[in-house]
Amino acid sequence: MNCIVMKNIPFDLDFEDLLNRLRIKKGTEYEKRIEELVHEAEKNANLKVLYKLSYIEDKKDDTVVIDGVKFSSRILRVNLDNVNRVFPYVATCGHELENWSKGFPDMLEMFWLDTIKELALRSARTALTKELKDKFELDKMANMNPGSLEEWPISQQKELFQLFDGHEKLIGVELKSSFLMTPIKSVSGIFFSTESNYENCMLCPRGTCPGRKAPYDEKLYTKKYAL
């Protein structure tokens, strides 16, 4: 299946959620300024997603071959144990929003804008989740991202981007030699159908992560993934 580009994605930002994340009280001057920044961000935002349907061709103990590309990760391999197709993707807040945000020298506003861009990226990925569920009649999904866990290092971004065959340029995303992406607020990974409630966070012991979606389960790796 060829790569599919999603554009014109709505920037659905929950303003109260944003204030809570920034620990800003209502009725303050800060709230008014943040509201102004949100309106400007919505005007500049051009969220984009690239994804494709890919098939698993081979599985070994700790490797899996997807569309001819070999990935090395015991956790990824086990998570795809009963799966034959996956959905590699790249989502981004877009260069438009990134470039606009660079015009603010104030450190506090830069922090606010970083959170706004993070929520913009979340909107893009939410739109992708909905499209995959609707288009491919999927019920429950999970996803993994290179670099999110030690067992699937960020260097595997190189293999993941091979699946896109250069089409990531259609959404303005570039993979750097450091395996990081530009724009900075971009994310890549693989969605897959699952019957479990898998989250990367379940295997990550870092307790101070603000993006944690599930509690750390220190017994999960031994119980499910160890050889």
Side-chain angles (χ1 to χ4, degrees):
M1 182 178 180
N2 293 329
C3 292
I4 296 173
V5 175
M6 296 174 61
K7 294 183 178 180
N8 302 315
I9 299 171
F11 184 4
D12 294 325
L13 187 148
D14 184 327
F15 190 67
E16 286 196 19
D17 177 51
L18 175 61
L19 292 181
N20 289 334
R21 287 171 180 265
L22 299 177
R23 299 182 180 179
I24 300 297
K25 293 182 179 180
K26 290 185 176 181
T28 63
E29 289 188 12
Y30 285 155
E31 180 195 9
K32 183 177 179 181
R33 178 55 180 154
I34 291 170
E35 189 172 14
E36 292 173 351
L37 291 174
V38 168
H39 288 322
E40 289 184 44
E42 290 174 338
K43 291 178 182 177
N44 285 276
N46 188 5
L47 318 182
K48 307 178 190 75
V49 171
L50 177 76
Y51 77 91
K52 65 180 296 191
L53 167 63
S54 294
Y55 290 94
I56 296 174
E57 299 172 350
D58 189 35
K59 299 174 184 177
K60 295 291 192 299
D61 285 343
D62 57 1
T63 62
V64 57
V65 177
I66 301 171
D67 285 354
V69 179
K70 184 178 181 179
F71 295 88
S72 299
S73 166
R74 175 65 182 168
I75 297 174
L76 178 67
R77 162 64 184 86
V78 173
N79 282 343
L80 300 181
D81 194 35
N82 298 312
V83 176
N84 294 315
R85 63 178 187 174
V86 295
F87 302 89
Y89 72 92
V90 182
T92 181
C93 76
H95 277 291
E96 298 85 352
L97 192 60
E98 180 71 26
N99 292 337
W100 165 78
S101 70
K102 292 177 180 178
F104 295 83
D106 182 84
M107 293 295 293
L108 182 57
E109 290 190 349
M110 288 172 63
F111 171 70
W112 294 343
L113 292 170
D114 189 73
T115 304
I116 290 172
K117 290 186 293 183
E118 186 68 39
L119 293 176
L121 177 57
R122 188 172 72 172
S123 286
R125 193 155 64 171
T126 297
L128 170 61
T129 301
K130 184 179 185 306
E131 172 147 323
L132 292 178
K133 286 186 174 182
D134 292 346
K135 190 170 184 177
F136 297 95
E137 299 181 345
L138 301 174
D139 182 17
K140 186 182 291 186
M141 294 191 306
N143 91 101
M144 289 186 63
N145 321 93
S148 59
L149 296 170
E150 186 176 343
E151 288 262 351
W152 199 22
I154 194 171
S155 58
Q156 291 254 290
Q157 286 272 61
K158 180 179 179 181
E159 283 75 14
L160 182 60
F161 271 69
Q162 286 178 23
L163 296 175
F164 303 122
D165 195 27
H167 287 86
E168 67 275 2
K169 296 183 178 70
L170 296 175
I171 60 170
V173 171
E174 179 184 356
L175 182 65
K176 302 166 71 174
S177 58
S178 62
F179 305 113
L180 298 176
M181 293 174 283
T182 56
I184 295 173
K185 293 302 180 184
S186 301
V187 64
S188 65
I190 294 177
F191 270 107
F192 53 92
S193 180
T194 181
E195 296 299 322
S196 69
N197 295 312
Y198 175 83
E199 293 284 354
N200 291 320
C201 303
M202 294 176 176
L203 295 164
C204 178
R206 196 176 71 159
T208 58
C209 178
R212 179 168 289 281
K213 298 177 182 178
Y216 171 55
D217 184 346
E218 62 180 341
K219 297 180 180 179
L220 180 60
Y221 184 85
T222 301
K223 187 165 51 178
K224 184 174 180 179
Y225 300 103
L227 283 169

mmCIF file of all heavy atoms in Angstrom, residues 79-115:
data_model
loop_
_atom_site.group_PDB
_atom_site.id
_atom_site.type_symbol
_atom_site.label_atom_id
_atom_site.label_comp_id
_atom_site.label_asym_id
_atom_site.label_seq_id
_atom_site.Cartn_x
_atom_site.Cartn_y
_atom_site.Cartn_z
ATOM 1 N N ASN A 79 5.083 -8.059 20.957
ATOM 2 C CA ASN A 79 3.832 -7.313 20.791
ATOM 3 C C ASN A 79 3.156 -7.623 19.455
ATOM 4 O O ASN A 79 1.938 -7.506 19.326
ATOM 5 C CB ASN A 79 4.075 -5.817 20.907
ATOM 6 C CG ASN A 79 4.222 -5.365 22.348
ATOM 7 O OD1 ASN A 79 3.837 -6.086 23.274
ATOM 8 N ND2 ASN A 79 4.772 -4.184 22.544
ATOM 9 N N LEU A 80 3.957 -8.006 18.467
ATOM 10 C CA LEU A 80 3.416 -8.320 17.142
ATOM 11 C C LEU A 80 3.224 -9.828 16.947
ATOM 12 O O LEU A 80 3.047 -10.285 15.821
ATOM 13 C CB LEU A 80 4.346 -7.765 16.055
ATOM 14 C CG LEU A 80 4.570 -6.254 16.071
ATOM 15 C CD1 LEU A 80 5.490 -5.838 14.925
ATOM 16 C CD2 LEU A 80 3.250 -5.494 15.988
ATOM 17 N N ASP A 81 3.224 -10.564 18.025
ATOM 18 C CA ASP A 81 3.161 -12.022 17.961
ATOM 19 C C ASP A 81 1.961 -12.528 17.174
ATOM 20 O O ASP A 81 2.072 -13.450 16.364
ATOM 21 C CB ASP A 81 3.133 -12.594 19.385
ATOM 22 C CG ASP A 81 3.401 -14.087 19.413
ATOM 23 O OD1 ASP A 81 4.206 -14.550 18.590
ATOM 24 O OD2 ASP A 81 2.800 -14.787 20.239
ATOM 25 N N ASN A 82 0.799 -11.954 17.394
ATOM 26 C CA ASN A 82 -0.431 -12.406 16.730
ATOM 27 C C ASN A 82 -0.911 -11.414 15.676
ATOM 28 O O ASN A 82 -2.104 -11.352 15.361
ATOM 29 C CB ASN A 82 -1.531 -12.642 17.769
ATOM 30 C CG ASN A 82 -1.152 -13.722 18.760
ATOM 31 O OD1 ASN A 82 -0.706 -14.801 18.377
ATOM 32 N ND2 ASN A 82 -1.321 -13.431 20.042
ATOM 33 N N VAL A 83 0.018 -10.631 15.137
ATOM 34 C CA VAL A 83 -0.318 -9.567 14.189
ATOM 35 C C VAL A 83 0.340 -9.839 12.843
ATOM 36 O O VAL A 83 1.493 -10.269 12.788
ATOM 37 C CB VAL A 83 0.142 -8.202 14.738
ATOM 38 C CG1 VAL A 83 -0.114 -7.091 13.728
ATOM 39 C CG2 VAL A 83 -0.555 -7.898 16.058
ATOM 40 N N ASN A 84 -0.384 -9.587 11.776
ATOM 41 C CA ASN A 84 0.169 -9.763 10.427
ATOM 42 C C ASN A 84 0.336 -8.448 9.671
ATOM 43 O O ASN A 84 1.061 -8.394 8.686
ATOM 44 C CB ASN A 84 -0.729 -10.698 9.607
ATOM 45 C CG ASN A 84 -0.740 -12.110 10.150
ATOM 46 O OD1 ASN A 84 0.312 -12.657 10.472
ATOM 47 N ND2 ASN A 84 -1.923 -12.704 10.272
ATOM 48 N N ARG A 85 -0.349 -7.408 10.128
ATOM 49 C CA ARG A 85 -0.234 -6.114 9.465
ATOM 50 C C ARG A 85 -0.048 -5.022 10.511
ATOM 51 O O ARG A 85 -0.536 -5.133 11.637
ATOM 52 C CB ARG A 85 -1.458 -5.813 8.605
ATOM 53 C CG ARG A 85 -2.764 -5.704 9.391
ATOM 54 C CD ARG A 85 -3.931 -5.368 8.492
ATOM 55 N NE ARG A 85 -5.137 -5.109 9.284
ATOM 56 C CZ ARG A 85 -6.292 -4.687 8.771
ATOM 57 N NH1 ARG A 85 -6.403 -4.487 7.468
ATOM 58 N NH2 ARG A 85 -7.325 -4.451 9.556
ATOM 59 N N VAL A 86 0.683 -3.981 10.135
ATOM 60 C CA VAL A 86 0.973 -2.867 11.029
ATOM 61 C C VAL A 86 0.828 -1.557 10.249
ATOM 62 O O VAL A 86 0.721 -1.558 9.014
ATOM 63 C CB VAL A 86 2.389 -2.973 11.631
ATOM 64 C CG1 VAL A 86 2.497 -4.188 12.537
ATOM 65 C CG2 VAL A 86 3.450 -3.020 10.527
ATOM 66 N N PHE A 87 0.879 -0.441 10.992
ATOM 67 C CA PHE A 87 0.688 0.870 10.371
ATOM 68 C C PHE A 87 1.807 1.821 10.819
ATOM 69 O O PHE A 87 1.670 2.542 11.811
ATOM 70 C CB PHE A 87 -0.681 1.435 10.758
ATOM 71 C CG PHE A 87 -1.824 0.549 10.364
ATOM 72 C CD1 PHE A 87 -2.284 -0.442 11.232
ATOM 73 C CD2 PHE A 87 -2.424 0.668 9.116
ATOM 74 C CE1 PHE A 87 -3.330 -1.280 10.871
ATOM 75 C CE2 PHE A 87 -3.473 -0.166 8.749
ATOM 76 C CZ PHE A 87 -3.921 -1.144 9.626
ATOM 77 N N PRO A 88 2.938 1.819 10.092
ATOM 78 C CA PRO A 88 3.999 2.791 10.384
ATOM 79 C C PRO A 88 3.494 4.205 10.099
ATOM 80 O O PRO A 88 2.705 4.425 9.162
ATOM 81 C CB PRO A 88 5.112 2.409 9.394
ATOM 82 C CG PRO A 88 4.768 1.021 8.935
ATOM 83 C CD PRO A 88 3.287 0.933 8.971
ATOM 84 N N TYR A 89 3.970 5.176 10.892
ATOM 85 C CA TYR A 89 3.459 6.536 10.721
ATOM 86 C C TYR A 89 4.485 7.571 11.157
ATOM 87 O O TYR A 89 5.410 7.292 11.923
ATOM 88 C CB TYR A 89 2.173 6.738 11.534
ATOM 89 C CG TYR A 89 2.411 6.809 13.028
ATOM 90 C CD1 TYR A 89 2.613 8.030 13.662
ATOM 91 C CD2 TYR A 89 2.473 5.646 13.806
ATOM 92 C CE1 TYR A 89 2.847 8.092 15.026
ATOM 93 C CE2 TYR A 89 2.707 5.706 15.167
ATOM 94 C CZ TYR A 89 2.897 6.946 15.772
ATOM 95 O OH TYR A 89 3.150 7.005 17.118
ATOM 96 N N VAL A 90 4.290 8.777 10.657
ATOM 97 C CA VAL A 90 4.985 9.972 11.138
ATOM 98 C C VAL A 90 3.924 11.064 11.262
ATOM 99 O O VAL A 90 3.149 11.285 10.327
ATOM 100 C CB VAL A 90 6.089 10.450 10.185
ATOM 101 C CG1 VAL A 90 6.795 11.670 10.769
ATOM 102 C CG2 VAL A 90 7.091 9.352 9.902
ATOM 103 N N ALA A 91 3.897 11.724 12.399
ATOM 104 C CA ALA A 91 2.968 12.837 12.616
ATOM 105 C C ALA A 91 3.779 14.050 13.042
ATOM 106 O O ALA A 91 4.795 13.930 13.730
ATOM 107 C CB ALA A 91 1.936 12.482 13.681
ATOM 108 N N THR A 92 3.331 15.241 12.642
ATOM 109 C CA THR A 92 4.083 16.453 12.954
ATOM 110 C C THR A 92 3.168 17.651 13.190
ATOM 111 O O THR A 92 2.078 17.731 12.617
ATOM 112 C CB THR A 92 5.081 16.779 11.824
ATOM 113 O OG1 THR A 92 5.816 17.967 12.166
ATOM 114 C CG2 THR A 92 4.369 16.996 10.494
ATOM 115 N N CYS A 93 3.660 18.571 14.021
ATOM 116 C CA CYS A 93 2.934 19.834 14.218
ATOM 117 C C CYS A 93 3.097 20.732 12.996
ATOM 118 O O CYS A 93 2.339 21.682 12.817
ATOM 119 C CB CYS A 93 3.433 20.546 15.471
ATOM 120 S SG CYS A 93 5.027 21.374 15.301
ATOM 121 N N GLY A 94 4.102 20.446 12.162
ATOM 122 C CA GLY A 94 4.316 21.194 10.929
ATOM 123 C C GLY A 94 5.329 22.318 11.078
ATOM 124 O O GLY A 94 5.474 22.923 12.141
ATOM 125 N N HIS A 95 6.046 22.593 9.995
ATOM 126 C CA HIS A 95 7.038 23.678 10.000
ATOM 127 C C HIS A 95 6.382 25.031 10.222
ATOM 128 O O HIS A 95 7.000 25.948 10.784
ATOM 129 C CB HIS A 95 7.811 23.698 8.673
ATOM 130 C CG HIS A 95 8.944 22.725 8.629
ATOM 131 N ND1 HIS A 95 10.080 22.868 9.397
ATOM 132 C CD2 HIS A 95 9.115 21.579 7.912
ATOM 133 C CE1 HIS A 95 10.904 21.867 9.153
ATOM 134 N NE2 HIS A 95 10.351 21.067 8.267
ATOM 135 N N GLU A 96 5.132 25.188 9.770
ATOM 136 C CA GLU A 96 4.460 26.474 9.909
ATOM 137 C C GLU A 96 4.367 26.884 11.374
ATOM 138 O O GLU A 96 4.697 28.014 11.751
ATOM 139 C CB GLU A 96 3.069 26.412 9.268
ATOM 140 C CG GLU A 96 3.075 26.125 7.771
ATOM 141 C CD GLU A 96 3.138 24.637 7.424
ATOM 142 O OE1 GLU A 96 3.322 23.808 8.342
ATOM 143 O OE2 GLU A 96 3.010 24.317 6.230
ATOM 144 N N LEU A 97 3.901 25.968 12.210
ATOM 145 C CA LEU A 97 3.768 26.256 13.634
ATOM 146 C C LEU A 97 5.139 26.374 14.298
ATOM 147 O O LEU A 97 5.363 27.236 15.152
ATOM 148 C CB LEU A 97 2.942 25.152 14.301
ATOM 149 C CG LEU A 97 2.440 25.414 15.728
ATOM 150 C CD1 LEU A 97 1.551 26.647 15.766
ATOM 151 C CD2 LEU A 97 1.690 24.198 16.259
ATOM 152 N N GLU A 98 6.060 25.517 13.889
ATOM 153 C CA GLU A 98 7.413 25.542 14.451
ATOM 154 C C GLU A 98 8.103 26.873 14.158
ATOM 155 O O GLU A 98 8.688 27.495 15.058
ATOM 156 C CB GLU A 98 8.222 24.385 13.870
ATOM 157 C CG GLU A 98 9.653 24.305 14.370
ATOM 158 C CD GLU A 98 9.749 23.870 15.827
ATOM 159 O OE1 GLU A 98 8.834 23.187 16.314
ATOM 160 O OE2 GLU A 98 10.752 24.243 16.464
ATOM 161 N N ASN A 99 8.045 27.329 12.908
ATOM 162 C CA ASN A 99 8.705 28.576 12.536
ATOM 163 C C ASN A 99 8.059 29.779 13.217
ATOM 164 O O ASN A 99 8.754 30.712 13.631
ATOM 165 C CB ASN A 99 8.672 28.750 11.015
ATOM 166 C CG ASN A 99 9.537 27.728 10.298
ATOM 167 O OD1 ASN A 99 10.472 27.177 10.879
ATOM 168 N ND2 ASN A 99 9.224 27.457 9.039
ATOM 169 N N TRP A 100 6.737 29.764 13.321
ATOM 170 C CA TRP A 100 6.032 30.854 14.002
ATOM 171 C C TRP A 100 6.470 30.950 15.461
ATOM 172 O O TRP A 100 6.709 32.036 15.990
ATOM 173 C CB TRP A 100 4.523 30.636 13.906
ATOM 174 C CG TRP A 100 3.721 31.488 14.848
ATOM 175 C CD1 TRP A 100 3.415 32.811 14.707
ATOM 176 C CD2 TRP A 100 3.138 31.072 16.098
ATOM 177 N NE1 TRP A 100 2.688 33.255 15.791
ATOM 178 C CE2 TRP A 100 2.501 32.206 16.655
ATOM 179 C CE3 TRP A 100 3.101 29.871 16.786
ATOM 180 C CZ2 TRP A 100 1.826 32.153 17.875
ATOM 181 C CZ3 TRP A 100 2.428 29.803 17.996
ATOM 182 C CH2 TRP A 100 1.803 30.945 18.528
ATOM 183 N N SER A 101 6.617 29.811 16.110
ATOM 184 C CA SER A 101 6.943 29.803 17.536
ATOM 185 C C SER A 101 8.348 30.313 17.820
ATOM 186 O O SER A 101 8.652 30.695 18.955
ATOM 187 C CB SER A 101 6.782 28.390 18.108
ATOM 188 O OG SER A 101 7.791 27.520 17.623
ATOM 189 N N LYS A 102 9.222 30.325 16.818
ATOM 190 C CA LYS A 102 10.595 30.777 17.015
ATOM 191 C C LYS A 102 10.703 32.293 17.144
ATOM 192 O O LYS A 102 11.768 32.810 17.486
ATOM 193 C CB LYS A 102 11.479 30.299 15.870
ATOM 194 C CG LYS A 102 11.689 28.792 15.836
ATOM 195 C CD LYS A 102 12.516 28.377 14.643
ATOM 196 C CE LYS A 102 12.726 26.867 14.613
ATOM 197 N NZ LYS A 102 13.494 26.428 13.425
ATOM 198 N N GLY A 103 9.620 33.013 16.867
ATOM 199 C CA GLY A 103 9.660 34.472 16.905
ATOM 200 C C GLY A 103 9.379 35.073 18.261
ATOM 201 O O GLY A 103 9.139 36.282 18.366
ATOM 202 N N PHE A 104 9.401 34.252 19.321
ATOM 203 C CA PHE A 104 9.086 34.739 20.659
ATOM 204 C C PHE A 104 10.313 34.583 21.559
ATOM 205 O O PHE A 104 10.678 33.469 21.927
ATOM 206 C CB PHE A 104 7.905 33.956 21.246
ATOM 207 C CG PHE A 104 6.614 34.167 20.500
ATOM 208 C CD1 PHE A 104 6.338 33.428 19.348
ATOM 209 C CD2 PHE A 104 5.694 35.109 20.923
ATOM 210 C CE1 PHE A 104 5.164 33.615 18.647
ATOM 211 C CE2 PHE A 104 4.509 35.305 20.230
ATOM 212 C CZ PHE A 104 4.242 34.568 19.090
ATOM 213 N N PRO A 105 10.954 35.698 21.952
ATOM 214 C CA PRO A 105 12.189 35.622 22.743
ATOM 215 C C PRO A 105 11.950 35.389 24.237
ATOM 216 O O PRO A 105 12.866 34.970 24.947
ATOM 217 C CB PRO A 105 12.842 36.988 22.506
ATOM 218 C CG PRO A 105 11.675 37.910 22.258
ATOM 219 C CD PRO A 105 10.656 37.081 21.529
ATOM 220 N N ASP A 106 10.746 35.662 24.712
ATOM 221 C CA ASP A 106 10.463 35.532 26.143
ATOM 222 C C ASP A 106 10.493 34.062 26.559
ATOM 223 O O ASP A 106 9.806 33.215 25.977
ATOM 224 C CB ASP A 106 9.086 36.138 26.458
ATOM 225 C CG ASP A 106 8.773 36.081 27.944
ATOM 226 O OD1 ASP A 106 9.209 36.984 28.674
ATOM 227 O OD2 ASP A 106 8.080 35.128 28.368
ATOM 228 N N MET A 107 11.264 33.741 27.601
ATOM 229 C CA MET A 107 11.459 32.359 28.011
ATOM 230 C C MET A 107 10.164 31.707 28.493
ATOM 231 O O MET A 107 9.903 30.537 28.209
ATOM 232 C CB MET A 107 12.518 32.282 29.119
ATOM 233 C CG MET A 107 13.917 32.650 28.658
ATOM 234 S SD MET A 107 14.568 31.465 27.436
ATOM 235 C CE MET A 107 14.731 29.993 28.447
ATOM 236 N N LEU A 108 9.347 32.464 29.213
ATOM 237 C CA LEU A 108 8.099 31.906 29.713
ATOM 238 C C LEU A 108 7.149 31.594 28.566
ATOM 239 O O LEU A 108 6.534 30.522 28.523
ATOM 240 C CB LEU A 108 7.436 32.875 30.694
ATOM 241 C CG LEU A 108 6.121 32.394 31.334
ATOM 242 C CD1 LEU A 108 6.327 31.076 32.066
ATOM 243 C CD2 LEU A 108 5.564 33.460 32.269
ATOM 244 N N GLU A 109 7.064 32.514 27.617
ATOM 245 C CA GLU A 109 6.199 32.280 26.459
ATOM 246 C C GLU A 109 6.721 31.116 25.613
ATOM 247 O O GLU A 109 5.936 30.350 25.057
ATOM 248 C CB GLU A 109 6.074 33.543 25.612
ATOM 249 C CG GLU A 109 5.265 34.631 26.293
ATOM 250 C CD GLU A 109 4.931 35.789 25.364
ATOM 251 O OE1 GLU A 109 5.499 35.842 24.247
ATOM 252 O OE2 GLU A 109 4.104 36.643 25.752
ATOM 253 N N MET A 110 8.023 30.964 25.536
ATOM 254 C CA MET A 110 8.592 29.826 24.803
ATOM 255 C C MET A 110 8.169 28.510 25.446
ATOM 256 O O MET A 110 7.874 27.531 24.746
ATOM 257 C CB MET A 110 10.122 29.937 24.774
ATOM 258 C CG MET A 110 10.655 31.034 23.863
ATOM 259 S SD MET A 110 12.447 31.273 24.025
ATOM 260 C CE MET A 110 13.049 29.678 23.480
ATOM 261 N N PHE A 111 8.111 28.484 26.780
ATOM 262 C CA PHE A 111 7.649 27.287 27.481
ATOM 263 C C PHE A 111 6.184 27.019 27.180
ATOM 264 O O PHE A 111 5.782 25.881 26.924
ATOM 265 C CB PHE A 111 7.858 27.461 28.990
ATOM 266 C CG PHE A 111 7.223 26.383 29.821
ATOM 267 C CD1 PHE A 111 7.720 25.090 29.822
ATOM 268 C CD2 PHE A 111 6.109 26.667 30.601
ATOM 269 C CE1 PHE A 111 7.123 24.090 30.585
ATOM 270 C CE2 PHE A 111 5.502 25.673 31.365
ATOM 271 C CZ PHE A 111 6.019 24.389 31.360
ATOM 272 N N TRP A 112 5.366 28.061 27.207
ATOM 273 C CA TRP A 112 3.947 27.911 26.861
ATOM 274 C C TRP A 112 3.790 27.383 25.440
ATOM 275 O O TRP A 112 2.984 26.481 25.190
ATOM 276 C CB TRP A 112 3.228 29.250 26.991
ATOM 277 C CG TRP A 112 3.131 29.785 28.386
ATOM 278 C CD1 TRP A 112 3.311 29.094 29.551
ATOM 279 C CD2 TRP A 112 2.840 31.133 28.758
ATOM 280 N NE1 TRP A 112 3.140 29.924 30.626
ATOM 281 C CE2 TRP A 112 2.852 31.184 30.175
ATOM 282 C CE3 TRP A 112 2.576 32.301 28.046
ATOM 283 C CZ2 TRP A 112 2.588 32.366 30.882
ATOM 284 C CZ3 TRP A 112 2.316 33.469 28.744
ATOM 285 C CH2 TRP A 112 2.327 33.497 30.140
ATOM 286 N N LEU A 113 4.549 27.956 24.512
ATOM 287 C CA LEU A 113 4.436 27.563 23.109
ATOM 288 C C LEU A 113 4.879 26.116 22.896
ATOM 289 O O LEU A 113 4.309 25.416 22.054
ATOM 290 C CB LEU A 113 5.273 28.504 22.231
ATOM 291 C CG LEU A 113 4.752 29.941 22.139
ATOM 292 C CD1 LEU A 113 5.782 30.832 21.468
ATOM 293 C CD2 LEU A 113 3.441 29.989 21.365
ATOM 294 N N ASP A 114 5.861 25.680 23.648
ATOM 295 C CA ASP A 114 6.301 24.298 23.541
ATOM 296 C C ASP A 114 5.165 23.349 23.910
ATOM 297 O O ASP A 114 4.953 22.331 23.247
ATOM 298 C CB ASP A 114 7.501 24.058 24.458
ATOM 299 C CG ASP A 114 8.138 22.699 24.226
ATOM 300 O OD1 ASP A 114 8.800 22.532 23.193
ATOM 301 O OD2 ASP A 114 7.950 21.808 25.079
ATOM 302 N N THR A 115 4.410 23.700 24.950
ATOM 303 C CA THR A 115 3.267 22.879 25.353
ATOM 304 C C THR A 115 2.156 22.939 24.315
ATOM 305 O O THR A 115 1.514 21.925 24.017
ATOM 306 C CB THR A 115 2.738 23.345 26.718
ATOM 307 O OG1 THR A 115 3.793 23.302 27.683
ATOM 308 C CG2 THR A 115 1.594 22.459 27.191
#
